Amino acid sequence: MKIRFFALLLLVCLCLFTVRAEENFTPLFNGKDLSGWTPIGEPGAFAVKKNAIFTTGAGPYPTWLRTEKEYENFVLRFEFQTEGWYEGGVLIHAPADGPASKLGLKLHLRHDQKKYGARSPGAIYDAAAPMAIANKPSGQWNQCEIVCDWPTLKVTLNGELIHNINMENDDAFRHRLRSGFVGIQNIGCKGYFKNIEIKTLPGKEQWTDLFKDGLDGFHLHEKTEWSLADGVLTGKGQNGFASSKEEFDGPMEFQAWCKTIVNGNGGVHFNWAGDGHGIEVQCFNSPDSTNPTGSLYGIAPAQRIVSYDEEWFLLQVFSDGPHAMVRVNGENVCESSEIAEPHRGSVAFQQHTPGTVIQYRDAKIIKRNWR
């Protein structure tokens, strides 16, 4: 009788293993240490306890733990348990720099079962309230599945569907990053995460990398000293431009990470044609300037400053004929429907102020119906 029981148990285990193998899930956490994860901020904010990733509560914001790899479309499964009063979250499509919950997405996790709109437990933070409050009280394990397959975002918590979103049709989502790291936040609270696994789905993004050919892909103008190393374009010295040899037209989205030293000044120009300088998107992190970072220079000033010198910030430019919109660090800061012709041209990077330095990295363009 015992032999038959153990044989049956073995068969069940083999069947379960086969099902998991067929589903092609890859573990992201080995249950023993933080191999495969990179701490951002305070390293002591994360430990392994009870065979789970434990957020210790140490470390100031932004402190988080990210995967080594970036992901576009995927199915993510994990279990979590909060300890006492808790706030935190799981990040998806998070970049290495900048405000991850604004540029990517954050599944907001809490200890209570109260409704706070787009900051409720289970909300996509500041973007969408959950359809139901499905989390369990502190001290109990929760099971979660996130399906991100653009434009679909589905979140199931403890067997209940709490999000079913078409991101393409929702302004809170459609301009956010569509690939990035998976991360676990620590904003001063204690919680546990285990059985973390992911299944990748086919990618859909096809970007043009503006830096793929190094400086050979650019015409250099005026007096700036340009260098391009490790994917970073650096401009030093006097005023000048590096314009791409390739030309582009809309509808399109441009992305680049930018960084200036104190009082650094420059910008990104699109629709650059011949000797014309096209349309400049200013990079100048001075709050009292006429055209601060994100301004369509001489056309429409940015309404607020959300970037700082000596910190990488994400610049997104959306262009389609006479229409253009600029986002900085995940926030709309400028928009205009008065972009003059030509509506096609190169992309140029500018260093403006003598003696300062400006840097650009991961510059890329994609055809995109963004309006």
Side-chain angles (χ1 to χ4, degrees):
M1 191 69 177
K2 289 183 178 181
I3 294 176
R4 291 177 60 189
F5 172 78
F6 284 113
L8 180 60
L9 181 61
L10 178 60
L11 180 60
V12 170
C13 291
L14 287 173
C15 289
L16 289 174
F17 177 81
T18 301
V19 168
R20 300 308 297 160
E22 290 177 351
E23 289 182 341
N24 294 319
F25 277 85
T26 300
L28 292 179
F29 172 56
N30 61 20
K32 300 177 182 178
D33 55 42
L34 296 178
S35 299
W37 294 82
T38 301
I40 307 298
E42 173 58 51
F46 299 94
V48 176
K49 184 177 179 181
K50 300 179 182 178
N51 301 117
I53 294 176
F54 177 57
T55 62
T56 66
Y61 177 90
T63 295
W64 59 294
L65 192 68
R66 67 165 175 83
T67 53
E68 290 182 341
K69 292 176 56 178
E70 296 186 55
Y71 299 91
E72 183 184 340
N73 296 319
F74 54 83
V75 181
L76 176 70
R77 292 175 178 171
F78 62 94
E79 297 178 44
F80 71 92
Q81 180 187 104
T82 61
E83 182 177 301
W85 196 99
Y86 180 88
E87 274 198 318
V90 170
L91 302 166
I92 64 173
H93 294 168
D97 297 288
S101 63
K102 291 182 179 180
L103 293 168
L105 302 172
K106 171 189 171 181
L107 178 65
H108 191 50
L109 305 179
R110 287 183 55 88
H111 65 287
D112 57 11
Q113 290 79 44
K114 296 181 181 180
K115 293 182 178 181
Y116 302 94
R119 296 186 178 182
S120 301
I124 305 300
Y125 190 78
D126 277 356
M131 294 188 288
I133 303 297
N135 62 307
K136 297 178 181 179
S138 281
Q140 298 183 34
W141 284 103
N142 298 266
Q143 290 77 41
C144 186
E145 178 182 89
I146 301 173
V147 178
C148 184
D149 187 13
W150 186 269
T152 298
L153 177 66
K154 292 183 178 181
V155 181
T156 303
L157 182 58
N158 294 323
E160 188 164 359
L161 184 67
I162 62 172
H163 292 288
N164 187 4
I165 298 167
N166 184 324
M167 294 184 283
E168 183 67 54
N169 296 334
D170 193 322
D171 287 341
F173 292 87
R174 64 196 312 244
H175 300 128
R176 300 199 185 206
L177 298 180
R178 301 186 189 183
S179 65
F181 299 102
V182 172
I184 298 172
Q185 268 194 331
N186 184 343
I187 58 173
C189 302
K190 297 179 180 181
Y192 299 85
F193 297 82
K194 69 177 184 179
N195 294 332
I196 310 168
E197 57 184 6
I198 196 166
K199 176 172 68 174
T200 58
L201 303 175
K204 300 172 184 176
E205 297 282 272
Q206 295 183 351
W207 291 84
T208 297
D209 179 0
L210 294 179
F211 294 166
K212 63 182 184 302
D213 297 323
L215 287 180
D216 290 339
F218 292 88
H219 298 293
L220 305 183
H221 313 265
E222 301 185 34
K223 298 181 180 181
T224 295
E225 177 187 339
W226 293 103
S227 62
L228 208 170
D230 299 322
V232 177
L233 177 67
T234 300
K236 298 180 180 180
Q238 300 184 52
N239 183 71
F241 304 86
S243 64
S244 67
K245 294 179 179 178
E246 190 171 357
E247 294 189 351
F248 307 90
D249 58 8
M252 68 178 186
E253 176 185 353
F254 163 87
Q255 285 186 14
W257 289 89
C258 310
K259 184 166 69 171
T260 61
I261 67 164
V262 175
N263 294 326
N265 190 334
V268 174
H269 296 239
F270 62 98
N271 295 345
W272 175 293
D275 294 331
H277 287 180
I279 306 301
E280 178 183 356
V281 180
Q282 177 87 312
C283 293
F284 183 40
N285 296 318
S286 175
D288 287 340
S289 64
T290 304
N291 291 282
T293 294
S295 298
L296 291 161
Y297 193 89
I299 301 172
Q303 298 303 303
R304 57 192 173 280
I305 286 281
V306 292
S307 54
Y308 305 93
D309 286 337
E310 301 187 19
E311 293 183 9
W312 286 106
F313 60 89
L314 182 65
L315 180 68
Q316 293 172 278
V317 181
F318 299 83
S319 173
D320 185 9
H323 307 284
M325 181 178 73
V326 181
R327 285 169 64 88
V328 178
N329 275 346
E331 296 190 34
N332 292 357
V333 297
C334 184
E335 192 164 356
S336 176
S337 296
E338 300 180 359
I339 304 302
E341 293 183 344
H343 295 145
R344 175 181 175 83
S346 303
V347 172
F349 300 87
Q350 181 184 19
Q351 148 63 15
H352 180 66
T353 304
T356 63
V357 175
I358 191 167
Q359 293 183 302
Y360 307 92
R361 80 164 201 252
D362 299 330
K364 56 188 181 180
I365 280 180
I366 193 170
K367 297 293 287 187
R368 178 94 79 206
N369 291 317
W370 55 274
R371 289 188 293 136

